[in-house]
Amino acid sequence: MTGPRRHATDFVGFGPNARLAGRLAPGRAVEGRRPRDGSTLGTTMGAAAGPTVGRAHRRRDPGGPALLAAAGLAPPARAQEVTVSAAISTKDAVEEIGRAFMRSHPGVTLRYSFGSSGELRQQIEAGAPVDLFISASHRQMDDLARRGLIRGETHRVFARNVLTVVTPADSRLELRRPTDLLAAGLARIVVGNPKTVPAGQYAAESLRALGLWERLQPRIVFAENVRQALDYVSRGEVDAGFVYTTDAATRPGRVREAFRPAEDTYGPILYPVAVLRDAAEPALAEAFLDRLVGPAGQAVLKRFGFEPPPAAARR
């Protein structure tokens, strides 16, 4: 297989022109493809159930309640939509927590935008209609806070993760430590783009601390988000990749953990959440946040492999 263009990224956003990321191809940036597990690579937005949509539309039929009143009938309760932009590494857990939330809030629909935290931050800054932001790094949340785009009193840290290196399940490479990434038989290593992908930021930080970042540059391929990196590994299009342990657990039988970089080589991987300043449904967004950080949400996160944050990190 000829080499893909290295360090190529596409901006993925809201709306009809949003692009999906997929298979590595010779001489091309990433192109559209869905992985076998049905998730969408790149940034996606859709209802909790149903087809993917470009953005959440909150609209009401102005004639409906009046016609019902004229007929002597009570109008139905207004449907409410809450849009959640979340780091794609939280996708499985957040969707499960969301299903329970909707069952306990009849008439409420959650809509999701999953992608790298950096891309989601850019979309929010550009005016995307978002109620709640879940990031895989403080960097993106702090950027929004400096711009006054979040409600600071709602800012919480709710989970922790760990970095790992994975290989295709059928790989014959024996990787036991970071220096093994320099092995002659290892041609491609996928890392999330450090400019927008927290997993890539942590991986670059670790490799720099170990004196390997510059030496590995000819082998590194950048991905648009951590699940895309995982998919490249699971399809055997790269020899190894940096992902979170929670991501590796979603591909049993398709990837295997090679080793975990020492946690003292990169900063703690903490997940903050906050309600957006311009949220259309701030009360419901905060109610979902409360479930996420509360016992029910924490139980789901634990089942998906997330760890609770240190007590000192919680706000």
Side-chain angles (χ1 to χ4, degrees), residues 187-207:
R188 294 186 177 116
I189 304 165
V190 65
V191 174
N193 188 333
K195 293 181 179 179
T196 55
V197 183
Q201 296 164 11
Y202 298 121
E205 184 181 349
S206 177
L207 290 172

PDB file of all heavy atoms in Angstrom, residues 187-207:
ATOM      1  N   ALA A 187       6.167   1.179   9.695  1.00  0.00           N
ATOM      2  CA  ALA A 187       6.198   2.257   8.702  1.00  0.00           C
ATOM      3  C   ALA A 187       5.277   3.422   9.028  1.00  0.00           C
ATOM      4  O   ALA A 187       5.595   4.575   8.726  1.00  0.00           O
ATOM      5  CB  ALA A 187       5.832   1.695   7.324  1.00  0.00           C
ATOM      6  N   ARG A 188       4.103   3.142   9.616  1.00  0.00           N
ATOM      7  CA  ARG A 188       3.121   4.208   9.844  1.00  0.00           C
ATOM      8  C   ARG A 188       2.583   4.161  11.268  1.00  0.00           C
ATOM      9  O   ARG A 188       2.181   3.109  11.762  1.00  0.00           O
ATOM     10  CB  ARG A 188       1.939   4.075   8.875  1.00  0.00           C
ATOM     11  CG  ARG A 188       2.301   4.309   7.404  1.00  0.00           C
ATOM     12  CD  ARG A 188       1.028   4.294   6.586  1.00  0.00           C
ATOM     13  NE  ARG A 188       1.304   4.573   5.197  1.00  0.00           N
ATOM     14  CZ  ARG A 188       1.100   3.717   4.211  1.00  0.00           C
ATOM     15  NH1 ARG A 188       0.612   2.522   4.493  1.00  0.00           N
ATOM     16  NH2 ARG A 188       1.360   4.047   2.968  1.00  0.00           N
ATOM     17  N   ILE A 189       2.554   5.320  11.887  1.00  0.00           N
ATOM     18  CA  ILE A 189       1.992   5.481  13.234  1.00  0.00           C
ATOM     19  C   ILE A 189       0.957   6.591  13.158  1.00  0.00           C
ATOM     20  O   ILE A 189       1.268   7.708  12.722  1.00  0.00           O
ATOM     21  CB  ILE A 189       3.086   5.875  14.250  1.00  0.00           C
ATOM     22  CG1 ILE A 189       4.224   4.847  14.238  1.00  0.00           C
ATOM     23  CG2 ILE A 189       2.494   6.031  15.643  1.00  0.00           C
ATOM     24  CD1 ILE A 189       5.485   5.338  14.926  1.00  0.00           C
ATOM     25  N   VAL A 190      -0.273   6.306  13.564  1.00  0.00           N
ATOM     26  CA  VAL A 190      -1.313   7.331  13.491  1.00  0.00           C
ATOM     27  C   VAL A 190      -1.451   8.028  14.841  1.00  0.00           C
ATOM     28  O   VAL A 190      -1.449   7.391  15.897  1.00  0.00           O
ATOM     29  CB  VAL A 190      -2.670   6.748  13.031  1.00  0.00           C
ATOM     30  CG1 VAL A 190      -3.250   5.771  14.022  1.00  0.00           C
ATOM     31  CG2 VAL A 190      -3.661   7.880  12.747  1.00  0.00           C
ATOM     32  N   VAL A 191      -1.542   9.354  14.762  1.00  0.00           N
ATOM     33  CA  VAL A 191      -1.682  10.209  15.932  1.00  0.00           C
ATOM     34  C   VAL A 191      -2.735  11.263  15.593  1.00  0.00           C
ATOM     35  O   VAL A 191      -2.765  11.780  14.473  1.00  0.00           O
ATOM     36  CB  VAL A 191      -0.343  10.905  16.279  1.00  0.00           C
ATOM     37  CG1 VAL A 191      -0.522  11.913  17.404  1.00  0.00           C
ATOM     38  CG2 VAL A 191       0.714   9.875  16.659  1.00  0.00           C
ATOM     39  N   GLY A 192      -3.614  11.584  16.517  1.00  0.00           N
ATOM     40  CA  GLY A 192      -4.558  12.661  16.281  1.00  0.00           C
ATOM     41  C   GLY A 192      -3.818  13.969  16.047  1.00  0.00           C
ATOM     42  O   GLY A 192      -2.782  14.231  16.676  1.00  0.00           O
ATOM     43  N   ASN A 193      -4.323  14.798  15.146  1.00  0.00           N
ATOM     44  CA  ASN A 193      -3.676  16.076  14.863  1.00  0.00           C
ATOM     45  C   ASN A 193      -3.575  16.892  16.153  1.00  0.00           C
ATOM     46  O   ASN A 193      -4.600  17.284  16.719  1.00  0.00           O
ATOM     47  CB  ASN A 193      -4.489  16.845  13.819  1.00  0.00           C
ATOM     48  CG  ASN A 193      -3.779  18.093  13.340  1.00  0.00           C
ATOM     49  OD1 ASN A 193      -2.966  18.678  14.045  1.00  0.00           O
ATOM     50  ND2 ASN A 193      -4.094  18.516  12.130  1.00  0.00           N
ATOM     51  N   PRO A 194      -2.371  17.163  16.637  1.00  0.00           N
ATOM     52  CA  PRO A 194      -2.248  17.865  17.921  1.00  0.00           C
ATOM     53  C   PRO A 194      -2.883  19.249  17.946  1.00  0.00           C
ATOM     54  O   PRO A 194      -3.164  19.777  19.020  1.00  0.00           O
ATOM     55  CB  PRO A 194      -0.726  17.957  18.132  1.00  0.00           C
ATOM     56  CG  PRO A 194      -0.154  16.852  17.302  1.00  0.00           C
ATOM     57  CD  PRO A 194      -1.055  16.769  16.108  1.00  0.00           C
ATOM     58  N   LYS A 195      -3.128  19.842  16.778  1.00  0.00           N
ATOM     59  CA  LYS A 195      -3.733  21.172  16.739  1.00  0.00           C
ATOM     60  C   LYS A 195      -5.189  21.157  17.191  1.00  0.00           C
ATOM     61  O   LYS A 195      -5.688  22.157  17.709  1.00  0.00           O
ATOM     62  CB  LYS A 195      -3.640  21.750  15.329  1.00  0.00           C
ATOM     63  CG  LYS A 195      -2.219  22.048  14.873  1.00  0.00           C
ATOM     64  CD  LYS A 195      -2.209  22.641  13.478  1.00  0.00           C
ATOM     65  CE  LYS A 195      -0.801  22.966  13.023  1.00  0.00           C
ATOM     66  NZ  LYS A 195      -0.780  23.532  11.642  1.00  0.00           N
ATOM     67  N   THR A 196      -5.869  20.037  16.988  1.00  0.00           N
ATOM     68  CA  THR A 196      -7.304  19.994  17.292  1.00  0.00           C
ATOM     69  C   THR A 196      -7.734  18.769  18.092  1.00  0.00           C
ATOM     70  O   THR A 196      -8.859  18.743  18.595  1.00  0.00           O
ATOM     71  CB  THR A 196      -8.132  20.012  15.985  1.00  0.00           C
ATOM     72  OG1 THR A 196      -7.700  18.929  15.141  1.00  0.00           O
ATOM     73  CG2 THR A 196      -7.966  21.334  15.236  1.00  0.00           C
ATOM     74  N   VAL A 197      -6.896  17.763  18.198  1.00  0.00           N
ATOM     75  CA  VAL A 197      -7.282  16.490  18.813  1.00  0.00           C
ATOM     76  C   VAL A 197      -6.547  16.311  20.142  1.00  0.00           C
ATOM     77  O   VAL A 197      -5.318  16.152  20.152  1.00  0.00           O
ATOM     78  CB  VAL A 197      -6.969  15.307  17.876  1.00  0.00           C
ATOM     79  CG1 VAL A 197      -7.443  13.999  18.493  1.00  0.00           C
ATOM     80  CG2 VAL A 197      -7.595  15.519  16.507  1.00  0.00           C
ATOM     81  N   PRO A 198      -7.257  16.325  21.269  1.00  0.00           N
ATOM     82  CA  PRO A 198      -6.568  16.153  22.553  1.00  0.00           C
ATOM     83  C   PRO A 198      -5.726  14.888  22.636  1.00  0.00           C
ATOM     84  O   PRO A 198      -4.616  14.923  23.179  1.00  0.00           O
ATOM     85  CB  PRO A 198      -7.728  16.136  23.553  1.00  0.00           C
ATOM     86  CG  PRO A 198      -8.749  17.031  22.933  1.00  0.00           C
ATOM     87  CD  PRO A 198      -8.670  16.710  21.457  1.00  0.00           C
ATOM     88  N   ALA A 199      -6.210  13.762  22.105  1.00  0.00           N
ATOM     89  CA  ALA A 199      -5.414  12.532  22.153  1.00  0.00           C
ATOM     90  C   ALA A 199      -4.081  12.725  21.443  1.00  0.00           C
ATOM     91  O   ALA A 199      -3.053  12.188  21.858  1.00  0.00           O
ATOM     92  CB  ALA A 199      -6.181  11.371  21.532  1.00  0.00           C
ATOM     93  N   GLY A 200      -4.090  13.493  20.363  1.00  0.00           N
ATOM     94  CA  GLY A 200      -2.856  13.813  19.657  1.00  0.00           C
ATOM     95  C   GLY A 200      -1.964  14.745  20.460  1.00  0.00           C
ATOM     96  O   GLY A 200      -0.731  14.623  20.433  1.00  0.00           O
ATOM     97  N   GLN A 201      -2.582  15.674  21.181  1.00  0.00           N
ATOM     98  CA  GLN A 201      -1.807  16.580  22.037  1.00  0.00           C
ATOM     99  C   GLN A 201      -1.073  15.780  23.117  1.00  0.00           C
ATOM    100  O   GLN A 201       0.115  15.995  23.367  1.00  0.00           O
ATOM    101  CB  GLN A 201      -2.742  17.604  22.671  1.00  0.00           C
ATOM    102  CG  GLN A 201      -3.412  18.536  21.669  1.00  0.00           C
ATOM    103  CD  GLN A 201      -4.603  19.276  22.264  1.00  0.00           C
ATOM    104  OE1 GLN A 201      -4.822  19.258  23.471  1.00  0.00           O
ATOM    105  NE2 GLN A 201      -5.393  19.918  21.416  1.00  0.00           N
ATOM    106  N   TYR A 202      -1.798  14.859  23.752  1.00  0.00           N
ATOM    107  CA  TYR A 202      -1.182  14.056  24.806  1.00  0.00           C
ATOM    108  C   TYR A 202      -0.097  13.141  24.235  1.00  0.00           C
ATOM    109  O   TYR A 202       0.963  12.951  24.864  1.00  0.00           O
ATOM    110  CB  TYR A 202      -2.238  13.215  25.521  1.00  0.00           C
ATOM    111  CG  TYR A 202      -3.309  14.020  26.210  1.00  0.00           C
ATOM    112  CD1 TYR A 202      -4.658  13.864  25.884  1.00  0.00           C
ATOM    113  CD2 TYR A 202      -2.990  14.948  27.201  1.00  0.00           C
ATOM    114  CE1 TYR A 202      -5.645  14.601  26.518  1.00  0.00           C
ATOM    115  CE2 TYR A 202      -3.973  15.686  27.842  1.00  0.00           C
ATOM    116  CZ  TYR A 202      -5.305  15.505  27.489  1.00  0.00           C
ATOM    117  OH  TYR A 202      -6.276  16.238  28.117  1.00  0.00           O
ATOM    118  N   ALA A 203      -0.349  12.566  23.050  1.00  0.00           N
ATOM    119  CA  ALA A 203       0.638  11.679  22.432  1.00  0.00           C
ATOM    120  C   ALA A 203       1.906  12.449  22.078  1.00  0.00           C
ATOM    121  O   ALA A 203       3.026  11.977  22.335  1.00  0.00           O
ATOM    122  CB  ALA A 203       0.048  11.025  21.184  1.00  0.00           C
ATOM    123  N   ALA A 204       1.743  13.629  21.488  1.00  0.00           N
ATOM    124  CA  ALA A 204       2.908  14.442  21.127  1.00  0.00           C
ATOM    125  C   ALA A 204       3.686  14.848  22.375  1.00  0.00           C
ATOM    126  O   ALA A 204       4.926  14.838  22.385  1.00  0.00           O
ATOM    127  CB  ALA A 204       2.461  15.676  20.344  1.00  0.00           C
ATOM    128  N   GLU A 205       2.957  15.195  23.424  1.00  0.00           N
ATOM    129  CA  GLU A 205       3.603  15.578  24.684  1.00  0.00           C
ATOM    130  C   GLU A 205       4.433  14.424  25.234  1.00  0.00           C
ATOM    131  O   GLU A 205       5.579  14.610  25.672  1.00  0.00           O
ATOM    132  CB  GLU A 205       2.541  15.998  25.693  1.00  0.00           C
ATOM    133  CG  GLU A 205       3.075  16.507  27.008  1.00  0.00           C
ATOM    134  CD  GLU A 205       1.973  16.895  27.978  1.00  0.00           C
ATOM    135  OE1 GLU A 205       0.791  16.963  27.564  1.00  0.00           O
ATOM    136  OE2 GLU A 205       2.300  17.132  29.158  1.00  0.00           O
ATOM    137  N   SER A 206       3.867  13.220  25.195  1.00  0.00           N
ATOM    138  CA  SER A 206       4.579  12.048  25.698  1.00  0.00           C
ATOM    139  C   SER A 206       5.818  11.754  24.861  1.00  0.00           C
ATOM    140  O   SER A 206       6.905  11.510  25.400  1.00  0.00           O
ATOM    141  CB  SER A 206       3.644  10.836  25.701  1.00  0.00           C
ATOM    142  OG  SER A 206       4.315   9.674  26.126  1.00  0.00           O
ATOM    143  N   LEU A 207       5.664  11.775  23.538  1.00  0.00           N
ATOM    144  CA  LEU A 207       6.788  11.459  22.659  1.00  0.00           C
ATOM    145  C   LEU A 207       7.886  12.512  22.759  1.00  0.00           C
ATOM    146  O   LEU A 207       9.081  12.181  22.668  1.00  0.00           O
ATOM    147  CB  LEU A 207       6.300  11.318  21.218  1.00  0.00           C
ATOM    148  CG  LEU A 207       5.436  10.080  20.940  1.00  0.00           C
ATOM    149  CD1 LEU A 207       4.843  10.145  19.539  1.00  0.00           C
ATOM    150  CD2 LEU A 207       6.250   8.795  21.119  1.00  0.00           C
TER     151      LEU A 207
END
